[in-house]
Structure formats: structure tokens, C-alpha cells
Amino acid sequence: MKPKVLVTRRIFPEVVERLRQHFDVEYNEADRLWSPQALAERLREKDGVFLTPTERVDVALLDACPRLKVVANMAVGYNHIDVAACTARGVLCTNTPDVLTETTADFGFALVLAAARRVTEAERFLREGRWQTWSVHMMMGREVHGTTLGILGMGRIGQAIARRAALGFGMRVLYHNRSRLPEAVEAQYGARYVDKDTLLREADHVIVVVPYSPQTHHLIGAAELALMRPTATLTNIARGGVVDDAALAQALRDGRIAAAALDVFEGEPRVHPHLLQVPNVVLTPHIASATETTRRAMAELAADNLIAGLGCGPQAGRPPTPLNPEVLSSTAAGEGRAGS
Ligand code: DGY
């Protein structure tokens, strides 16, 4: 009998077809959002799940689904998955790094430009029929080229943004990260490692690219915003909750910083009502990796992980991007449930 898997959102037909070659697939083609209870109900008899950041994997779900062996996440971020609880139960978790790095960096840079140059604000102005004539002072923004970019979180996406900033826009790059990068990597972007406060004080544009965790919750709040230059911009493409959205709305309203751009929000898809009221913030609905090419690559990689994680296909037992590879060695030793 084929293993049973659940695909929780609408993806790409050819990826579903590939999964069907190995599995008995239940597919949410209607793309309805399920409550945690509905998800648990559908997952109860399944061996694996292909899911996205809209589904939460927590202790309650894991306890309700004792057959579950593999959680294949179609995203690089995985704060919606309790990986430690999965590991404790021998459940393999995987994500989709690398394939979205450049696309996400493009979008991050687009948001830095949009905030600095008031792109969406200017478009609203035009669409609302308020543009009467060209004028010297109309919609003046902030320079991007030749200024200083501060990157909080210098992983793969942070480095791809640094490359665009240094090589494409002649920017000085400051970064702060859990650990300092090797000198040779810093040299590629002329990037200088600084503490968080120095970065906030010196950068003309700050971009946040750290994963969400209890340690990064409200990494940028009122105190941090108060350190920034009144002419600076802040961009968040990381996860909602890394920036305190209420404090940011207040800082924008008070002119504490010049502008912001957000692709992710605390409690999304809800957006803090005060953010919707301030003109100097660019708001996009969590689309940094959303190009057809990249979303397909993410889906294919998540499928590769699910197939290999459940012991099928040419890479059986060797999923390409595991988050808790220790599960693989313990299940190979017959201790847990992944792939068994
Ligand atoms: C990711 O891959 O983490 C993106 O934010 C899409 O959710």
C-alpha cells in the first residue's frame, strides 16, 4: 500500500502528479484554509504532509496524528513548526532554502527602493487625481545609491541583498548577525560587522532578514526605532513579530523615521490598523518569494523532501534539506517513526 500524504494548499498540478506516483494523496485543490481541528482530522491517518506557513504544526497536532512521519514545508521560514516537538517524536521536518534566495533578495531591495523613493505613495497620489503639475518639491524621497544599508540577519538572503547593495548601488554595508561572517565573505560586499545599536544609528536604510524566534520577537521596537535617523527607512521581509508593528506605526506617524516597507505582519493577514492609516509605509501581502519560477522550485523541493523522507524515489532516506537530520539517523537505527 502506498503511504498516505496530505497537501494542504493548492500547488502545481505536475508536482501533485509526481507525489501521486509515490503516495495516496489527499489534495486541497480548493485551497480552503482549514482550522487546526480540520487539519488534524485530515492528517490523522497520514504518513506525511506537504504544507505552507499557513498551517501550524504544534504538540496538539502531533499528538493527534501519531502516524505522521514527515512534515515537508514549502517555505524557508519554519516558525510555524515546532521542530523540537517533531524531533522528540521522530518526525522529520524539511524546508526550502536556497531556491528562493535571489528572488527574495530582489523583492527586499525593491521594498527598500519603494520606501525611500515613495513609489506606492506617489502612485496613490496620481491615481487619486491629485497630480496637478510637475513641481520641484513633489514627492521628494531619500537617496539609495551611495548611502549606508544596515542588514539585520546576514544569512543567505541577507548576503544576496548585500551583494545588490554594494555592487549595484555603491552602498556601504553594515550588518549584524548572530555570528560574524568570515573575513573573505565580508570582503566580497565590503560589509562591516557592527552591534545592533550602531547599525540602527548609522544606517540610512535598515532591512530585517532574521528568522522569527522568541529571541527575535520585537527585535525592532520603540527603543530601536528611537535610535534610527529621522531620515532613515526600515524594511521587514523576515517575519511578522520581528518588528513591533504598533511601535512602527507610531514612529512613522511621529516622523521618527522617514518611511518603512513591510511584506510580513504580526498576526497576518491582519495588518495593524494604524499602519493602514500612515502614508509613508509600503505594504505588500507576504510575496517576497512569489515569482512563478521560484514558487515552482519551492514546490518541487518540498516534494523531493517528502518523497525521500518517506523512503521513496531515487533519494530515499536522504531528503535534500532536512531541518532535523538527527531524526534520520535515529530512525535508521530503528528508534523513531520517520521513513519507517
Ligand atoms: C518563506 O519561504 O519563508 C517565505 O516567507 C514564504 O513563506
Side-chain angles (χ1 to χ4, degrees), residues 86-91 326-340:
C86 288
T87 306
R89 289 161 178 76
V91 176
E326 61 273 34
V327 165
L328 292 168
S329 37
S330 60
T331 49
E335 289 162 25
R337 52 181 171 176
S340 57

Side-chain angles (χ1 to χ4, degrees), residues 120-132 139 279:
T120 54
E121 191 183 349
E123 189 189 356
R124 274 196 305 277
F125 174 80
L126 180 151
R127 284 182 186 272
E128 287 164 8
R130 290 190 281 140
W131 183 26
Q132 301 298 324
M139 288 286 158

Side-chain angles (χ1 to χ4, degrees), residues 53 75-77 100 239 286 289 298:
V76 67
L100 48 62
R239 274 290 181 273
H286 200 153
S289 65
M298 292 164 70

Side-chain angles (χ1 to χ4, degrees), residues 26-57:
E26 180 178 341
Y27 177 36
N28 181 12
E29 194 168 6
D31 210 26
R32 285 201 192 89
L33 278 182
W34 292 325
S35 67
Q37 293 74 15
L39 177 63
E41 196 53 46
R42 288 168 191 275
L43 206 50
R44 200 177 305 283
E45 297 300 319
K46 303 291 190 296
D47 300 285
V49 62
F50 178 122
L51 52 66
T52 72
T54 51
E55 293 79 46
R56 181 159 289 281
V57 177

Side-chain angles (χ1 to χ4, degrees), residues 3 30 32 66 76 82 92 106 108 110 119 121 145 149 160 181 191 219 231 247 267 271 282 299 303 307 321 325:
R32 285 201 192 89
V76 67
D82 186 338
L92 174 73
D106 283 350
V119 173
E121 191 183 349
H145 73 275
L149 181 67
L181 299 177
L219 182 73
T231 51
V271 175
V282 177
I307 292 166
T321 50

Side-chain angles (χ1 to χ4, degrees), residues 1 19 31 36 41 68 72 114 125 129 138 157 169 196 219 294:
M1 233 177 35
L19 293 173
D31 210 26
E41 196 53 46
L68 190 64
F125 174 80
M138 188 175 67
I157 297 171
F169 285 77
K196 187 174 100 178
L219 182 73
T294 292

Side-chain angles (χ1 to χ4, degrees), residues 52-54 73-80 96-97 100 104 157 237-239 263-264 268 286-290 295 298:
T52 72
T54 51
N73 173 35
M74 188 187 141
V76 67
Y78 52 88
N79 56 300
H80 54 294
T96 57
L100 48 62
T104 303
I157 297 171
I237 57 164
R239 274 290 181 273
D263 186 49
V264 286
E268 64 185 52
H286 200 153
I287 55 167
S289 65
R295 286 285 161 90
M298 292 164 70

Side-chain angles (χ1 to χ4, degrees), residues 58 198 224 226 249 261 275 290 297:
D58 54 17
T198 304
E224 289 74 20
L275 284 173

